[in-house]
Amino acid sequence: MRTQRQVVDYSLQKRAVLRELLAGRVGTYDVCDASPYLKNAARFHGEPTEERCPICRSENLTHVHYIYGDELKQSAGQARNLAELPVLAMTLREFQVFVVEVCLGCDWNHLVEQFLLGRDGLAEDGPEQGAAGVNAPGAGPAHGRRREAQR
């Protein structure tokens, strides 16, 4: 998605939780605790992945995208399909997306990443951005800092 920005990846945290589980300091009931609402969101709004569950290894994980933002009003906190996000990104100024992976077999769930979407991300792309989103010559980081200082 073109307007995706401020991405936070939680893969290191996931590795730490799995390490704690393998060491026996955390039980499977502590990490396999998906709520019925999360499981339903995964069934009806989730995006299937090719990645196997790290706990049961029998099911593929499903990614659920939750959206939050002031402009969403009553829609904030809802799960959305991945195909709906670009449409929302063009109609709303800014909203946050949280991606949660869920195993429908053993109830494993973990926050995968979070990022911002919305039209405000397009304003950051100035005239020095090409059609493919690649910086034009002379539009490096120093040029961007000068532009920020002028604002």
Side-chain angles (χ1 to χ4, degrees):
M1 279 169 262
R2 186 163 178 219
T3 64
Q4 184 175 352
R5 59 199 180 278
Q6 295 183 9
V7 179
V8 179
D9 181 48
Y10 292 94
S11 59
L12 291 176
Q13 189 178 34
K14 176 182 172 180
R15 287 174 49 192
V17 168
L18 292 173
R19 196 171 35 252
E20 293 289 310
L21 179 69
L22 290 174
R25 292 186 284 268
V26 176
T28 54
Y29 291 112
D30 295 326
V31 296
C32 295
D33 59 351
S35 72
Y37 296 111
L38 179 56
K39 290 170 63 175
N40 279 337
R43 277 189 199 96
F44 298 111
H45 302 286
E47 303 292 329
T49 68
E50 295 298 318
E51 186 181 351
R52 287 284 194 197
C53 174
I55 307 300
C56 70
R57 300 190 194 280
S58 63
E59 300 272 336
N60 285 352
L61 294 171
T62 303
H63 284 177
V64 182
H65 299 80
Y66 285 100
I67 57 172
Y68 293 90
D70 293 337
E71 288 182 275
L72 292 168
K73 302 197 185 338
Q74 292 86 4
S75 298
Q78 290 182 351
R80 295 294 177 110
N81 292 329
L82 189 59
E84 295 177 77
L85 296 181
V87 175
L88 285 171
M90 290 297 123
T91 58
L92 299 172
R93 288 187 58 225
E94 184 175 90
F95 62 98
Q96 231 174 355
V97 179
F98 291 86
V99 183
V100 179
E101 66 181 16
V102 182
C103 175
L104 295 173
C106 70
D107 296 348
W108 159 263
N109 63 97
H110 196 273
L111 180 62
V112 176
E113 71 178 344
Q114 112 188 34
F115 53 89
L116 287 177
L117 284 178
R119 286 191 326 255
D120 281 357
L122 292 175
E124 293 173 5
D125 296 343
E128 64 273 348
Q129 292 285 330
V134 179
N135 284 342
H143 180 70
R145 277 188 237 119
R146 281 197 307 264
R147 196 173 85 226
E148 286 293 323
Q150 291 173 351
R151 288 185 186 169

